[in-house]
Amino acid sequence: STGENGESYVGFIRKPNLDEIGAFVSLGQNNPVQAAKVLLNSTWLEGDEILLQEEELFLGIMSVLDSIVKVRIAKVVKI
C-alpha cells in the first residue's frame, strides 16, 4: 500500500486455513471490514505495522484480501 506522501508499505501474510476462511466468509456477510481485520490479523506474518493501524491503508488492503480467499468450484459425480 502507499501512504499519503507516496511512502510504500509492505506486509506479508500466509495463506489462510479453512477455519480462517470460514470466519472471513461468515463475518463478511454482515461486517466486511471486521471480517477483513480478523483475516489480516490471523494471517499476518511480518511487515510495516502501520498497515494494521491506519484506516486508509487498511481499506486499501481489503481488496487484496478478497482476492486471496479464492473459492474453487468442484463437481462430484457418482459413478
Side-chain angles (χ1 to χ4, degrees), residues 1 3 5 19 26 62:
S1 283
N5 298 324
D19 289 336
S26 179
M62 284 181 63

Side-chain angles (χ1 to χ4, degrees), residues 46-77:
E46 64 180 83
D48 296 312
E49 295 288 326
I50 193 169
L51 292 170
L52 302 172
Q53 300 162 355
E54 292 287 326
E55 289 181 3
E56 290 177 352
L57 293 173
F58 176 77
L59 291 173
I61 293 173
M62 284 181 63
S63 63
V64 175
L65 293 176
D66 284 336
S67 69
I68 289 171
V69 180
K70 297 178 184 174
V71 177
R72 294 185 180 176
I73 298 173
K75 183 176 181 181
V76 178
V77 179

